[in-house]
Amino acid sequence: MLQPLFLKPVFKARIWGGTALQNEFGYDIPTRNTGECWAISAHPNGPSIIENGPFAGMTLDKLWREHPELFGNSGEEVFPLLTKILDANMDLSVQVHPDDSYAMVNESGELGKTECWYIIDCKEDADMIFGHNAGSKEELVEQINEGKWNELLRRVKIKPGDFFYVPSGTIHALCEGTLVLETQQSSDTTYRVYDYDRRDAEGNLRDLHLEKAIEVTTVPHKDTVSIPAIQQLENARITTFVKSEFFSVYKWDVSGKSTFSFNDQYLLLSVIKGEGSLFHDGEHYEMKKGTHLIIPVGFGEFEVDGDCELIVSHT
């Protein structure tokens, strides 16, 4: 009998992190500058561990290799997605990510990194860096070399509930006071463009990766506009944020008992607010805020009952 796969997250200390992952989700974070929760991950730099059922104790990357039938026998070498929650207690570095073809050649076969953000919470009047104003590569190089960051970088106002699709090649940075659920390709490749001249705990400036960053940056910047589509089910509202070649991402707002059915697609689910229960084949599974799970291929019909919000994704 198929069961949902509940996952134990992996936490990463970051120079810009804080304690929001503990304060908001009750996670047992390792430090007071914990910036990242790798919630659903099969990446070798931080694989999640299955917490329940016959595969308990197994890492997600090993499960992907040894039981491909749970994921539809896709034939893909690596689990393609990575779900994170980010606590930007301070500004993140200004950065850009490569696409698949560049990363394959320059990063030892790593996937590229297209990602997207759902703003769970942010401080009042918050913003983020999203794109640049350079009209050519030459202008991009000139403004970087001369440190004309206010002229170069575009800032966008954000609020809770906003969604942003961030293709590879997009210069971007989350800013202070932002809590975000990120869905991305399973990659850990980041090229830093600017880091505010910050120093780490040892007093060192963090490395920049300007040559690669300039090579992969899309010039001129291309805006991506997400127009959500809403579907009303019994006791649930489904918001479709994006359907791309890399992933599709939805928000499920559940208020009561609602029925879902998926047979030929595995799903990644993250509870970002409230709590509820999942019912399947006579079994009952609790889902509280901060729970992350995978629904395997062939799972079929299941019910979610409660008052909760989930971010859901699949390839």
Side-chain angles (χ1 to χ4, degrees):
M1 183 184 72
L2 288 175
Q3 297 183 27
L5 304 166
F6 288 83
L7 297 151
K8 181 179 180 180
V10 176
F11 299 96
K12 304 282 188 177
R14 296 289 185 251
I15 194 172
W16 40 263
T19 60
L21 293 170
Q22 180 182 64
N23 300 340
E24 292 297 321
F25 295 97
Y27 294 135
D28 183 17
I29 59 175
T31 71
R32 295 189 64 79
N33 63 324
T34 300
E36 300 189 9
C37 164
W38 289 28
I40 304 177
S41 167
H43 195 281
N45 291 353
S48 308
I49 297 174
I50 312 301
E51 290 193 301
N52 67 302
F55 308 114
M58 186 180 291
T59 57
L60 181 55
D61 56 333
K62 185 177 181 182
L63 185 67
W64 173 261
R65 292 192 302 269
E66 296 186 3
H67 291 278
E69 72 281 359
L70 296 173
F71 308 97
N73 295 299
S74 72
E76 294 173 275
E77 186 175 342
V78 297
F79 187 79
L81 299 182
L82 174 53
T83 300
K84 296 178 182 177
I85 302 179
L86 307 178
D87 169 18
N89 185 53
M90 297 168 57
D91 293 346
L92 274 67
S93 62
V94 179
Q95 55 194 241
V96 64
H97 306 304
D99 62 14
D100 285 344
S101 58
Y102 188 93
M104 179 65 67
V105 174
N106 295 279
E107 301 297 339
S108 305
E110 177 95 324
L111 291 177
K113 190 175 176 186
T114 286
E115 60 191 14
C116 62
W117 301 327
Y118 176 80
I119 311 297
I120 298 173
D121 199 8
C122 61
K123 67 179 185 179
E124 190 174 352
D125 204 33
D127 62 9
M128 69 177 190
I129 292 167
F130 191 71
H132 62 85
N133 295 311
S136 66
K137 286 278 187 179
E138 292 74 19
E139 187 179 358
L140 177 70
V141 171
E142 176 187 340
Q143 293 191 324
I144 288 174
N145 287 340
E146 295 182 8
K148 295 181 177 179
W149 303 112
N150 290 335
E151 294 177 33
L152 176 63
L153 301 175
R154 300 176 65 212
R155 289 188 175 267
V156 178
K157 292 295 182 184
I158 63 172
K159 62 184 185 302
D162 283 348
F163 178 87
F164 295 89
Y165 183 64
V166 189
S168 59
T170 304
I171 286 181
H172 63 276
L174 293 172
C175 296
E176 177 186 344
T178 310
L179 187 66
V180 169
L181 186 135
E182 177 176 285
T183 303
Q184 59 159 92
Q185 290 180 271
S186 183
S187 171
D188 198 22
T189 299
T190 292
Y191 301 147
R192 288 194 202 101
V193 179
Y194 178 54
D195 195 39
Y196 313 97
D197 299 322
R198 286 186 293 202
R199 297 183 182 272
D200 63 19
E202 284 73 45
N204 301 311
L205 293 170
R206 294 203 296 169
D207 291 338
L208 302 180
H209 316 96
L210 293 180
E211 184 176 340
K212 288 181 175 180
I214 289 165
E215 282 187 339
V216 305
T217 296
T218 300
V219 181
H221 169 72
K222 295 180 181 177
D223 261 330
T224 56
V225 179
S226 172
I227 303 176
I230 297 176
Q231 177 187 10
Q232 191 66 46
L233 304 179
E234 184 180 6
N235 298 321
R237 185 175 72 251
I238 310 300
T239 303
T240 301
F241 287 125
V242 67
K243 289 187 174 183
S244 77
E245 62 180 298
F246 304 107
F247 44 69
S248 297
V249 179
Y250 314 84
K251 182 164 179 273
W252 293 1
D253 290 275
V254 178
S255 54
K257 182 178 289 187
S258 193
T259 301
F260 303 88
S261 183
F262 290 88
N263 266 316
D264 50 5
Q265 178 63 63
Y266 64 92
L267 300 178
L268 284 60
L269 278 65
S270 296
V271 183
I272 59 169
K273 186 176 182 180
E275 59 185 27
S277 300
L278 188 152
F279 298 89
H280 177 255
D281 274 356
E283 297 293 329
H284 165 233
Y285 307 90
E286 293 295 330
M287 300 189 304
K288 64 178 183 178
K289 181 179 178 180
T291 297
H292 307 276
L293 63 147
I294 296 174
I295 300 294
V297 166
F299 197 70
E301 188 172 282
F302 62 96
E303 291 181 336
V304 176
D305 188 8
D307 187 5
C308 54
E309 298 177 10
L310 303 93
I311 300 295
V312 180
S313 61
H314 61 75
T315 52

